[in-house]
Amino acid sequence: MPPNDSTLIEPTSKAKSLRRVLDKSERIKDAVEQCAEELSSVNSVLKGELSKRPSQAGVESALQKSETIEGKVQDCAEDLTTVNRALVEEVRERQVLEHELLAAREQEEAARHAAFHDPLTSLPNRVLFNDRLEHGLAQAKRHGWTLAVMFIDLDDFKSINDTHGHPTGDKVLQTIAGRLKKMTRADDTVSRHGGDEFLYLLLELKDEKDAIQIAEKIIRTLSEPCDIGTGDPANSRSVRPSIGISLFPKDGDTADALVRSADKAMYRAKRDGSRYSFA
């Protein structure tokens, strides 16, 4: 799991707090140094006055006390300087720690994303899809819901790779993935299963009609022409999908069973040219 945000906010707040303490300490140090200078100035005047007049024991005693206080104030100013240097170093260390933690979080998020997403399309991969399907099944069993798994295959996609090269094929896959992601409902999941195959998880369906409407929308959306990088609209390619649909609980009560059923239904739709087929 990624680190809690508070673990990263804490160094920032501490660094800012230390900076405020340092600023306040610097102001106090400046005030103490000013007091020391003023005491020194007053003591110099007193010494000058005493040198012009007969000895006055009381004034001399006061001058000695004042000079002692001046020394203590100067010592305080020096101590504050030492403390402030330590605070500066502490602030610097906090800032370094903050940057290290932020870098670690970015690396962990990148690693987590790579572990659960397809590197080409950034869609959830099989691992994440299966996790969400298992969770969806648990909820469906508990509440008596219906869910559907759609297995989507792009017809004749191999010809794009063979004719235009794999970079063009990758661009088409990214376009298709973007279209699927854009039309996915908030609670549903679309995943790249591998190659030119995608899986679509639909939660809380009312009946088969909902699955049909979504399948038809997918077919219309994915069949729109794709730019193959030539810059000429006349050379764009249309990619037609074939879709197999399995329903829980009718076509299986496990993740593997539903995916297998949808896969078989997809091949039947491809063979029959029906665009989509139920298990």
Side-chain angles (χ1 to χ4, degrees):
M1 293 292 291
N4 188 288
D5 287 345
S6 63
T7 62
L8 297 177
I9 294 172
E10 183 180 2
T12 303
S13 62
K14 284 187 175 180
K16 290 180 179 179
S17 178
L18 283 173
R19 171 59 65 182
R20 288 193 293 269
V21 171
L22 176 59
D23 291 342
K24 187 174 183 179
S25 184
E26 286 286 356
R27 290 194 296 271
I28 293 172
K29 180 179 74 69
D30 292 341
V32 170
E33 287 178 345
Q34 185 177 355
C35 289
E37 291 175 1
E38 291 174 354
L39 274 171
S40 177
S41 177
V42 169
N43 291 342
S44 295
V45 171
L46 287 173
K47 287 178 183 179
E49 290 297 322
L50 284 173
S51 65
K52 298 175 184 178
R53 300 181 182 183
S55 177
Q56 301 180 38
V59 176
E60 289 178 355
S61 175
L63 177 58
Q64 289 176 353
K65 290 180 180 180
S66 182
E67 288 177 335
T68 300
I69 294 172
E70 176 189 343
K72 290 180 179 180
V73 172
Q74 289 174 341
D75 290 342
C76 288
E78 292 174 1
D79 290 343
L80 277 169
T81 298
T82 301
V83 170
N84 289 348
R85 287 173 181 167
L87 281 172
V88 168
E89 185 61 27
E90 182 68 17
V91 169
R92 186 180 296 112
E93 290 178 359
R94 291 287 180 181
Q95 290 172 337
V96 170
L97 176 62
E98 174 188 348
H99 291 314
E100 289 176 348
L101 286 172
L102 287 174
R105 180 181 183 181
E106 289 174 355
Q107 291 174 357
E108 184 171 356
E109 287 180 345
R112 181 177 176 80
H113 187 274
F116 295 107
H117 292 80
D118 173 60
L120 177 64
T121 64
S122 292
L123 291 178
N125 60 16
R126 293 188 188 189
V127 175
L128 183 54
F129 180 86
N130 286 338
D131 179 74
R132 292 183 179 176
L133 177 52
E134 292 285 1
H135 179 73
L137 280 171
Q139 294 294 315
K141 292 174 182 178
R142 182 177 299 116
H143 300 289
W145 295 338
T146 297
L147 63 76
V149 172
M150 291 187 177
F151 201 113
I152 305 168
D153 181 85
L154 306 180
D155 296 347
D156 299 323
F157 179 78
K158 184 176 180 296
S159 65
I160 296 178
N161 283 333
D162 293 342
T163 305
H164 303 285
H166 286 279
T168 297
D170 288 347
K171 185 175 180 180
V172 170
L173 287 174
Q174 289 170 336
T175 299
I176 294 298
R179 292 175 182 176
L180 284 170
K181 186 176 181 179
K182 192 172 183 179
M183 64 176 293
T184 303
R185 301 184 308 178
D187 294 332
D188 297 341
T189 300
V190 62
S191 162
R192 186 186 180 200
H193 188 63
D196 61 340
E197 297 174 337
F198 299 86
L199 287 173
Y200 199 129
L201 170 62
L202 296 92
L203 301 176
E204 296 187 54
L205 291 180
K206 294 180 181 179
D207 51 44
E208 290 187 6
K209 291 181 180 179
D210 289 345
I212 292 173
Q213 289 177 352
I214 293 175
E216 291 177 343
K217 183 177 180 180
I218 291 173
I219 292 168
R220 289 194 304 271
T221 301
L222 299 194
S223 298
E224 295 175 1
C226 293
D227 179 16
I228 58 174
T230 64
D232 184 357
N235 291 330
S236 60
R237 289 287 300 269
S238 293
V239 181
R240 304 233 349 148
S242 292
I243 303 174
I245 308 168
S246 62
L247 300 175
F248 168 84
K250 183 175 70 172
D251 302 316
D253 60 358
T254 67
D256 288 341
L258 288 169
V259 171
R260 285 197 304 269
S261 296
D263 187 13
K264 292 178 181 178
M266 180 273 295
Y267 277 106
R268 185 164 61 252
K270 185 184 291 287
R271 183 181 62 249
D272 298 342
S274 58
R275 297 288 111 213
Y276 67 86
S277 176
F278 281 90

